[in-house]
Amino acid sequence: MNAFAGSIDRPNSYIGRSVSRPNAKRLLEGRGRYVTDLVLPRMLHAAFVRSPYAHGKIVSIDIEEAKALSGVRAVFTGEDLASICAPWTGTLEHFTNMKSPPQVPLPLEKVMWSGQPVVLIIADSRAVAEDAAELVIVDIEELPALADPVDAMSAAAMSKELADNICFATKLDSGGVEEAFDAADTAVEQSFIFGRHTAVTLEPRAIVADYDPSENRLTAHHATQTPYQFQDVYSRHYGIPEANVRVIAPDIGGSFGMKLHVYHEEMAVVGASILLGRPIKYVADRMESFVSDIHARDHRVTGRLALDRDGRITAMDVDDVTAIGAFSSYPRTSAVEGNQVIRLMGAPYDFSSYRANLSVVFQNKVQTSQYRAVGHPIACAVTECLVDAAARELSLDPFEIRERNLIPDSSYPRTSPTGYQFEKLSHQVCLARLKSMMNYDALRVEQAGLREKGILRGIGIALFVEITNPSPAFYGVGGARISAQDGAILKLTPSGEVHCSISVTEQGQGTETIIGQIVADQLGIDREKVRVMTGDTDTTPHGGATWACRGAGIGGETALQAARKLKANLLAVAGLILQAQPGELDIRADWIVETVTGQQRISLAEVARVAFFRSDTLPPETQAQLSVVHHYAPQGYPFAFTNGAQSCLVEVDAETGFVKILKHWVVEDCGRIINPLLVDEQVRGGVVQGLGAAFFEECLYNEEGQLTNGSLADYLVPMACEMPDIEISHVETPTRDTELGAKGCGEAGTAAASAAAMNAVNDALVGHGAVLTQIPMTPTRILKALGTI
Amino acid sequence: MKARAFDYMRPKCVQEALEAFVRADGDASYIAGGQSLVPALALRLQAPGLLIDIARLDELRGLSVAGGHLRIGATTRHCEILGSDLVREHAPLLARAAPFVAHPAIRNKGTFGGSLALADPASEFPAMALALDAIIEIASVEGSRRVGAGDFFIDLYETALQPGEIITAVYVPLASAKTRTAFDELARRRGDYAIVGAGIDAEMQGGFVERMRIAFLSVGSTPVRVGAVEAALTGRQLTPQAIRQAQDVLGTELDPVGDEHTPPEMRRHLARVLLGRLLGRLEANV
Amino acid sequence: MSGKVTISLAVNGETIEALVAPRTTLADFLRQDIQLTGTHTGCEMGVCGACLVLLDDRPVHACLMFAVQADGCAVETVEGLTHRRAIDDLQKAFHERNALQCGFCTAGMLVSAYGVLASGDELDRDSIRDALSGNYCRCTGYESIVDAIETTARLRRQHMEKEEA
Ligand SMILES: Cc1cc2nc3c(=O)[nH]c(=O)nc-3n(C[C@H](O)[C@H](O)[C@H](O)COP(=O)(O)OP(=O)(O)OC[C@H]3O[C@@H](n4cnc5c(N)ncnc54)[C@H](O)[C@@H]3O)c2cc1C
Ligand code: FES
Ligand code: FES
């Protein structure tokens, strides 16, 4: 397809332009409306009593004293909520033999991780609810905790519903791997550890659940990126008709995948609102976030590469063990990350023999699940570190070895040995662009000069492939009620402006802005005249919302097609008014014009006025359609893959193990760019999350399964002084699956930043006998690798 | 994360504060900048029945020079230390350390006296008080007394302060023309409590060390003076060899603890590196 | 014990008399008692900077003090700074540079920026980053925020030089 031919110089041609976000003004003036800000009449507040143990049997719970405290309105335990809430199980049918124990809001018999909510207190204020929480006496008989994933694989099942602790296991084998390794001139092998980290959105999870028994109606003001999914979940698990459930996701203080999973607390609070018939607010405090938000990663991977004499990769073999906590998360499961790890391995490179083993294991920790760049950073780091290891072995420059192995840009479409179908990628162009942008050769000269003075600089590069624009192949085929399509409603106002409500959602990435750009562009009207609304299941059509980089690609295409539909309707009315052929008319700068001459005939506002208020002046039988509804589901390729290349420049203090990140470069190709300003900031934010993982972020547990750094003072997030400036360049390879041609970009930064950082540190340490294969690369780990301590 | 309920009072003078504490029968806490106490209350690690706010007491304020000492009133805020010409001139080591204390907004409220009273071994000012051989003036209902920094820090968060006592001021001996100082720390992120840090206050004459005091932070349960290292350097020139020997002495003198991020051997190693670097860059002016 | 106490303070230039529980933090007082929700909380322990406000014209954490401690003081929030147009240029620079995404850190960033711009110090990128050392942002990666503050500092300097000339 790709009939799209937007010229940037035409009036109202917004696609491809850096424009600022209209809705950001509200946020800049302190007028944001987040769930955390919301107050409703008669609203109560929730707090939880949590398990102090990672694993244990609940012997008794004494809530009497808590209940008696002044200001406490209710105290609920497992039975209270289980009796009204259908349990949920986090499995997907297309993951063969995947299993997970059923979950209920609050546990009935056992606690499965330290921090699991056990008792729900409802009180007049959060402070009083916390006072009451201190008065609850929970007697738990501690059981041995399974913290280590490898131990957990062979240990007795910790859930009575399951036979063992394996959630999901799978193998991929394209054949020929053993033979390729036997015939290889060079083989490299490394074992990696990717620490657990977590999303740490600045606004914690928040919900105000408001059940009105008179109408059997639930309104959930919910800080989530996927309101429709939660409408479905609340409806089915609490038995309320879907049409009676309204989920409103207003301004959201960051999400990154963390706010699309079903959490026990939110489910419990919805249940409590149903039981009490009053609005109830729950905002996780930061200490609760660390023990109850999903964590991510936690993979141990062994990878091998076989190469021939010329440094060409002939085969890759990997084994990934990932630990996901006590349950697989719902409804997207905790197996998706592992699945993407083994399918994205080696993705940029041209080889055919691939084998992978994946084990997804239960343990007594909080759940892991999808967080920005699901699986990508692991696949990328394993691949790119192995490629660098091979380059060192073969004395090849890191650029050289990649140039020899990349899938040629001219050879698409192709299918990867792991089964992914690539429509068109641009690795060669991106790599060449990266090299010139960073002035690679000069950097190497500078590096050598500094090395003589004892200053260790390192340059690391990493190529990546990103999964975007997912079709139903992602979740739908697995039986999950998660939509891959989106819907939009466009309405003309009587003043000639346009109102758009759409099912993709905004968390600050600029969704509303780009949708406004597309609608204005396609309609030929001023951007200021388009008002975009998102995040309310009552006023927007059902759709996928925000996950896996789909907003621009799928939501954007939905808006584009909807706008074209509305435009056709408007031109039809204009044609009747002007007694002209609609085909000879166009809309430009809010005017109906003659397409050929550009001559202004009638303003859009006038068309609207006539259509709404003087339909009597239109020919009989005319029914002007001034609003349109349109849905769009991706067809064609199951995913729109994107690609790019990153580089990181670091300086390592070999005496202290401290690393200074000096600079980072990104070349990325997300297809048609709708707004370069927003794309760049998505990339920067993503890179910093990747650098956080590379150097700082890790959820540390002791052997008893206790999180030992679960506060924002102890868990190190990346801060301003430690992060570098990031230079970005774009290559545009639009997908032909849509008119718009846009793919996703939100995860690109995170996908490869940690890999580039690992290669940079290892480059700095060349000749010092140290290779880091674990992240975060802390000073302690660096000095240990160097043998200093 | 909401504090347990408490009562609050803002006394008019130190005497009233002291008496209020006695009346509360020990179930009280002074609050100065609140930058350490408030998080502890929010986490319910502490839950006194009464907060006695001493932040606005005139008697506890001010920076002045008198009798060969720089007097630092207990409620002098970190930002005042950082911006003060008096401190730069008379206690250059403090001026060097001040930018490393927390973040700008915390420095706008946190107080010098609060920092010493809390005695966090990872804090800069307690260690620098030790390196400067400061004198801490303490008031109680019984009257006023003075304790040298060397006797003040007893154990983890434990000081010579008896329950109900208030630090009123800290006296730092004035720097002389011979004074040379250095401070640095290794923290993962700017403003974090350091993995290890150290300050040196020395008097140098013709290239020789006449007197040297070195104090480390984050290497034990209190700020730590390293007397053996100081002794090893006194009377000597700071040659590479002397510095290396000092580092070796340090290796045997320190017995740091580990935490979830950092094993003890890492701390010991970093302390040695830091000592070497600081001895190589002692300077007169800030 | 723990009866409410009366306090009187100026918030964004308006005198406010209020009855507060001593345990109510200034952040909760602003957000809940007087509905100034522009100030956010992200950690309630002084490490994220989302709650920064001006206390007697200096940035402080509203989560690290109780409302009773602000009795008799002047507090200013992002709403007040906006209203008296003290940060128009800064907000414009943030907007044009897209120096915010979800916006949850933004009020704190603006207060820190206000503080460092008011200090009169010469600002470079390092000193701006230093001024933001206690402000966490998960979305932007910081560079755009540094850019916006740098732009504002430059424009203010140019403006002053013009006034002087
Ligand atoms: C995010 C964060 C980062 C920080 N980083 C650092 C850092 O890097 N380095 C550092 O040194 N500090 C750091 N701090 C702590 C900060 O410097 C504190 O302000 C300081 O340690 C305590 O001073 P305060 O006035 O706030 O004391 P408060 O919190 O008011 O009181 C602390 C304790 O001292 C007692 N007290 C206070 N004043 C007196 C007095 N005059 N007499 C007797 N007892 C008294 C109180 O009763 C209380 O028990 C950090 C704080 C935060 C929140
Ligand atoms: S809420 Fe105050 S610093 Fe985080
Ligand atoms: S913009 Fe989201 S935290 Fe900064």
Side-chain angles (χ1 to χ4, degrees):
Chain A
M1 264 198 271
N2 237 200
F4 177 80
S7 143
I8 195 105
D9 337 304
R10 145 180 93 70
N12 312 121
S13 62
Y14 293 110
I15 296 176
R17 269 206 221 168
S18 283
V19 295
S20 52
R21 290 160 46 211
N23 59 1
K25 283 194 174 153
R26 180 176 79 239
L27 307 179
L28 275 161
E29 298 193 357
R31 290 174 181 274
R33 284 291 166 261
Y34 301 87
V35 176
T36 24
D37 300 334
L38 188 66
V39 178
L40 295 181
R42 300 189 71 235
M43 186 174 86
L44 296 170
H45 297 262
F48 290 88
V49 180
R50 292 175 185 277
S51 169
Y53 301 119
H55 195 191
K57 202 169 135 358
I58 300 172
V59 180
S60 65
I61 300 175
D62 181 352
I63 58 173
E64 289 316 312
E65 221 185 315
K67 256 181 150 163
L69 189 72
S70 160
V72 172
R73 301 301 159 200
V75 179
F76 297 116
T77 59
E79 286 296 346
D80 302 320
L81 296 165
S83 63
I84 58 165
C85 179
W88 61 91
T89 305
T91 54
L92 285 168
E93 287 156 19
H94 63 308
F95 293 148
T96 315
N97 293 330
M98 182 182 183
K99 57 185 189 280
S100 179
Q103 302 181 60
V104 288
L106 300 174
L108 300 166
E109 294 166 18
K110 275 177 79 180
V111 289
M112 300 297 279
W113 83 88
S114 172
Q116 180 175 5
V118 179
V119 179
L120 168 59
I121 316 265
I122 305 292
D124 290 347
S125 72
R126 170 76 187 204
V128 170
E130 288 187 24
D131 293 343
E134 288 193 305
L135 301 175
V136 173
I137 302 161
V138 183
D139 183 4
I140 294 174
E141 183 190 318
E142 196 178 358
L143 296 169
L146 284 177
D148 182 79
V150 180
D151 293 349
M153 277 171 86
S154 52
M158 55 195 209
S159 292
K160 69 168 195 246
E161 296 88 353
L162 308 181
D164 56 28
N165 297 316
I166 309 292
C167 168
F168 176 60
T170 191
K171 288 187 196 324
L172 298 176
D173 193 349
S174 66
V177 170
E178 281 309 327
E179 295 81 344
F181 274 91
D182 287 345
D185 294 300
T186 306
V188 287
E189 173 170 341
Q190 289 184 327
S191 291
F192 300 85
I193 300 179
F194 298 92
R196 257 182 182 240
H197 49 259
T198 183
V200 203
T201 57
L202 187 50
E203 182 190 34
R205 282 163 32 225
I207 188 170
V208 178
D210 183 10
Y211 179 73
D212 174 355
S214 69
E215 285 192 305
N216 187 24
R217 175 154 174 78
L218 173 73
T219 306
H221 306 264
H222 189 167
T224 175
Q225 54 196 92
T226 50
Y228 314 96
Q229 173 198 294
F230 281 100
Q231 180 185 23
D232 173 77
V233 165
Y234 296 145
S235 154
R236 280 185 304 124
H237 290 274
Y238 280 107
I240 304 168
E242 192 162 352
N244 286 9
V245 178
R246 178 181 189 184
V247 179
I248 302 173
D251 293 324
I252 312 289
S255 192
F256 313 113
M258 186 275 284
K259 290 179 184 166
L260 49 62
H261 308 288
V262 169
Y263 290 96
H264 301 89
E265 291 86 351
E266 281 84 332
M267 287 298 266
V269 164
V270 167
S273 179
I274 292 170
L275 290 172
L276 296 176
R278 287 178 71 169
I280 296 171
K281 181 174 192 169
Y282 171 67
V283 178
D285 69 31
R286 186 58 59 190
M287 306 300 284
E288 295 183 284
S289 301
F290 276 107
V291 295
S292 64
D293 289 1
I294 56 103
H295 292 176
R297 321 304 183 218
D298 205 350
H299 291 251
R300 288 150 199 242
V301 183
T302 301
R304 295 197 292 155
L305 270 193
L307 298 98
D308 67 14
R309 188 169 311 111
D310 301 326
R312 291 217 172 75
I313 301 167
T314 54
M316 188 176 193
D317 187 14
V318 297
D319 181 80
D320 179 16
V321 177
T322 176
I324 57 159
F327 303 95
S328 167
S329 73
Y330 183 71
R332 289 163 196 257
T333 83
S334 304
V336 169
E337 174 148 289
N339 187 54
Q340 291 194 172
V341 166
I342 59 165
R343 285 176 196 277
L344 282 164
M345 287 280 176
Y349 300 109
D350 195 353
F351 65 96
S352 56
S353 294
Y354 178 74
R355 186 168 65 188
N357 212 347
L358 170 68
S359 312
V360 180
V361 185
F362 293 117
Q363 65 186 157
N364 292 112
K365 294 183 186 172
V366 70
Q367 287 158 295
T368 70
S369 197
Q370 283 79 307
Y371 156 65
R372 197 174 201 167
V374 189
H376 293 70
I378 292 139
C380 180
V382 170
T383 306
E384 294 299 287
C385 287
L386 286 171
V387 168
D388 264 27
R392 285 194 294 272
E393 191 89 14
L394 295 160
S395 301
L396 284 175
D397 181 89
F399 273 92
E400 175 63 32
I401 192 169
R402 287 175 173 82
E403 281 155 14
R404 289 187 195 183
N405 281 289
L406 286 178
I407 300 175
D409 293 356
S410 57
S411 68
Y412 294 93
R414 338 227 313 184
T415 302
S416 78
T418 69
Y420 280 149
Q421 295 169 45
F422 300 140
E423 180 194 5
K424 182 144 178 56
L425 301 176
S426 57
H427 291 300
Q428 290 175 318
V429 179
C430 288
L431 190 66
R433 177 82 62 83
L434 180 71
K435 196 170 180 182
S436 64
M437 168 166 84
M438 64 192 281
N439 211 348
Y440 181 70
D441 297 329
L443 277 181
R444 284 287 181 208
V445 172
E446 183 189 44
Q447 179 189 35
L450 289 169
R451 206 165 249 267
E452 279 171 18
K453 296 184 200 145
I455 296 170
L456 301 184
R457 292 241 172 128
I459 303 160
I461 56 175
L463 292 155
F464 65 91
V465 168
E466 192 205 333
I467 303 171
T468 80
N469 294 5
S471 72
F474 208 118
Y475 291 113
V477 297
R481 297 169 66 88
I482 297 166
S483 186
Q485 65 79 50
D486 278 298
I489 302 169
L490 288 187
K491 301 187 287 196
L492 184 73
T493 72
S495 311
E497 299 126 358
V498 171
H499 187 280
C500 168
S501 43
I502 188 161
S503 59
V504 280
T505 55
E506 171 83 278
Q507 292 82 40
Q509 68 277 63
T511 308
E512 293 181 359
T513 307
I514 60 162
I515 296 300
Q517 283 178 263
I518 292 166
V519 169
D521 182 287
Q522 293 298 305
L523 282 173
I525 64 176
D526 192 314
R527 189 166 79 97
E528 308 246 307
K529 298 204 169 146
V530 180
R531 176 103 204 156
V532 182
M533 260 257 346
T534 62
D536 182 343
T537 59
D538 260 15
T539 59
T540 57
H542 186 103
T546 303
W547 49 275
C549 283
R550 57 188 304 291
I554 301 175
E557 183 72 7
T558 310
L560 177 141
Q561 294 187 6
R564 289 187 179 178
K565 217 167 166 179
L566 179 62
K567 182 175 177 182
N569 292 0
L570 298 178
L571 291 180
V573 184
L576 291 173
I577 297 171
L578 298 171
Q579 299 189 334
Q581 286 303 320
E584 289 161 10
L585 299 174
D586 195 1
I587 311 177
R588 286 178 206 162
D590 307 292
W591 278 75
I592 309 293
V593 299
E594 279 175 12
T595 309
V596 179
T597 63
Q599 196 201 337
Q600 290 187 341
R601 296 292 307 276
I602 182 172
S603 72
L604 193 55
E606 181 59 11
V607 174
R609 186 192 67 80
V610 172
F612 279 107
F613 305 124
R614 293 305 306 274
S615 49
D616 57 317
T617 65
L618 294 173
E621 310 294 309
T622 308
Q623 293 297 345
Q625 295 305 307
L626 306 167
S627 302
V628 302
V629 184
H630 189 78
H631 288 263
Y632 168 79
Q635 287 165 346
Y637 285 90
F639 307 98
F641 287 93
T642 72
N643 68 285
Q646 301 192 18
S647 179
C648 188
L649 176 68
V650 301
E651 191 167 300
V652 180
D653 181 338
E655 266 190 320
T656 63
F658 276 61
V659 179
K660 183 156 178 50
I661 312 167
L662 299 170
K663 180 101 200 190
H664 200 94
W665 295 266
V666 181
V667 181
E668 73 90 48
D669 182 350
C670 61
R672 170 97 51 226
I673 294 176
I674 300 160
N675 186 330
L677 177 70
L678 303 186
V679 169
D680 284 0
E681 294 319 310
Q682 278 302 296
V683 171
R684 288 202 172 90
V687 165
V688 164
Q689 287 186 15
L691 293 176
F695 292 105
F696 293 104
E697 298 183 46
E698 185 169 27
C699 302
L700 297 167
Y701 281 85
N702 65 16
E703 282 172 13
E704 286 78 49
Q706 299 287 345
L707 182 65
T708 58
N709 65 336
S711 89
L712 202 53
D714 301 307
Y715 178 97
L716 306 181
V717 288
M719 299 293 283
C721 293
E722 289 71 37
M723 289 299 117
D725 282 343
I726 299 160
E727 208 176 308
I728 297 165
S729 173
H730 299 284
V731 173
E732 277 189 72
T733 310
T735 170
R736 293 181 165 271
D737 272 356
T738 63
E739 298 271 336
L740 185 59
K743 311 179 202 171
C745 70
E747 303 180 289
T750 312
S754 49
M758 287 172 90
N759 280 343
V761 169
N762 287 328
D763 183 54
L765 297 178
V766 162
H768 285 72
V771 177
L772 275 285
T773 55
Q774 177 172 13
I775 57 170
M777 298 176 284
T778 61
T780 302
R781 286 182 184 143
I782 289 175
L783 290 191
K784 280 199 171 149
L786 284 166
T788 310
I789 57 164
Chain B
M1 275 181 73
K2 308 293 175 196
R4 258 185 236 162
F6 54 79
D7 285 324
Y8 171 86
M9 71 168 292
R10 196 161 54 236
K12 302 242 159 13
C13 62
V14 171
Q15 191 59 31
E16 192 189 338
L18 295 167
E19 286 165 10
F21 195 101
V22 173
R23 261 202 314 282
D25 226 2
D27 185 19
S29 182
Y30 297 118
I31 182 164
Q35 305 298 284
S36 297
L37 185 62
V38 178
L41 297 176
L43 291 163
R44 301 194 176 207
L45 300 172
Q46 288 180 37
L50 172 68
L51 278 197
I52 305 170
D53 190 346
I54 57 171
R56 298 193 204 176
L57 296 177
D58 283 336
E59 297 151 87
L60 303 182
R61 272 180 220 258
L63 284 157
S64 59
V65 174
H69 283 88
L70 174 69
R71 178 190 181 274
I72 304 172
T75 56
T76 304
R77 290 168 298 149
H78 304 337
C79 61
E80 295 173 83
I81 304 266
L82 189 58
S84 159
D85 290 335
L86 279 181
V87 171
R88 238 187 316 277
E89 187 181 344
H90 299 298
L93 182 59
L94 275 188
R96 280 191 207 286
F100 291 89
V101 180
H103 311 286
I106 288 165
R107 295 197 293 264
N108 283 341
K109 280 226 90 204
T111 68
F112 196 75
S115 184
L116 265 54
L118 184 70
D120 187 325
S123 269
E124 289 80 5
F125 288 151
M128 294 314 98
L130 207 53
L132 289 165
D133 210 12
I135 294 161
I136 295 141
E137 182 186 74
I138 298 169
S140 69
V141 275
E142 268 107 58
S144 177
R145 65 188 180 113
R146 290 182 172 211
V147 178
D151 298 319
F152 185 75
F153 301 105
I154 293 171
D155 206 340
L156 190 63
Y157 302 119
E158 191 185 330
T159 66
L161 285 175
Q162 296 299 312
E165 286 189 322
I166 291 177
I167 298 179
T168 45
V170 179
Y171 294 85
V172 177
L174 300 185
S176 73
K178 294 188 281 185
T179 298
R180 301 288 179 274
T181 58
F183 178 89
D184 205 354
E185 64 179 38
L186 291 162
R188 290 301 313 280
R189 303 171 307 174
R190 183 87 178 126
D192 280 358
Y193 285 107
I195 301 178
V196 54
I200 304 179
D201 189 82
E203 299 212 324
M204 304 287 292
Q205 181 72 27
F208 288 83
V209 177
E210 270 193 4
R211 172 191 63 68
M212 183 176 277
R213 284 187 298 259
I214 309 173
F216 278 87
L217 46 118
S218 281
V219 294
S221 55
T222 63
V224 173
R225 268 280 290 275
V226 285
V229 179
E230 295 168 4
L233 289 166
T234 306
R236 297 184 65 178
Q237 282 183 305
L238 295 175
T239 59
Q241 191 202 4
I243 292 175
R244 225 170 307 117
Q245 282 170 359
Q247 286 176 300
D248 290 343
V249 175
L250 181 75
T252 59
E253 198 174 1
L254 288 185
D255 187 16
V257 289
D259 63 28
E260 62 266 25
H261 293 288
T262 317
E265 65 270 23
M266 176 75 173
R267 283 230 156 82
R268 188 177 295 120
H269 167 79
L270 292 180
R272 284 182 55 135
V273 173
L274 197 60
L275 178 67
R277 290 180 179 181
L278 288 175
L279 288 172
R281 62 162 123 113
L282 286 169
E283 281 176 82
N285 299 319
V286 188
Chain C
M1 186 179 93
S2 3
K4 291 195 173 185
V5 295
T6 306
I7 58 169
S8 165
L9 70 170
V11 179
N12 297 332
E14 290 176 7
T15 305
I16 295 196
E17 302 261 347
L19 203 58
V20 294
R23 68 160 145 177
T24 304
T25 62
L26 179 60
D28 285 345
F29 173 73
L30 292 170
R31 289 177 44 74
Q32 290 161 18
D33 293 25
I34 58 176
Q35 304 271 294
L36 286 170
T37 52
T39 301
H40 299 150
T41 58
C43 70
E44 299 177 272
M45 60 189 294
V47 284
C48 77
C51 67
L52 289 173
V53 298
L54 295 171
L55 181 74
D56 297 331
D57 214 34
R58 277 176 171 269
V60 302
H61 292 94
C63 74
L64 289 189
M65 63 185 290
F66 298 107
V68 280
Q69 291 174 280
D71 183 30
C73 300
V75 175
E76 198 169 26
T77 67
V78 66
E79 290 95 335
L81 287 169
T82 303
H83 187 71
R84 75 169 165 97
R85 317 204 59 166
I87 51 169
D88 276 7
D89 53 350
L90 193 59
Q91 286 164 319
K92 181 163 177 281
F94 266 63
H95 189 233
E96 286 173 357
R97 182 59 191 82
N98 198 37
L100 69 158
Q101 289 181 28
C102 78
F104 210 72
C105 68
T106 307
M109 292 288 178
L110 292 170
V111 170
S112 277
Y114 172 93
V116 71
L117 287 165
S119 71
D121 298 343
E122 277 277 318
L123 297 183
D124 57 21
R125 295 182 76 75
D126 282 344
S127 55
I128 293 169
R129 286 187 184 269
D130 203 54
L132 301 178
S133 72
N135 287 88
Y136 173 49
C137 173
R138 189 49 140 180
C139 304
T140 63
Y142 303 103
E143 184 173 335
S144 56
I145 297 172
V146 176
D147 288 346
I149 298 173
E150 194 182 28
T151 302
T152 310
R154 195 186 61 243
L155 292 176
R156 284 195 189 179
R157 207 167 44 239
Q158 283 169 4
H159 185 73
M160 259 168 52
E161 281 162 7
K162 221 183 277 165
E163 300 247 296
E164 278 163 17

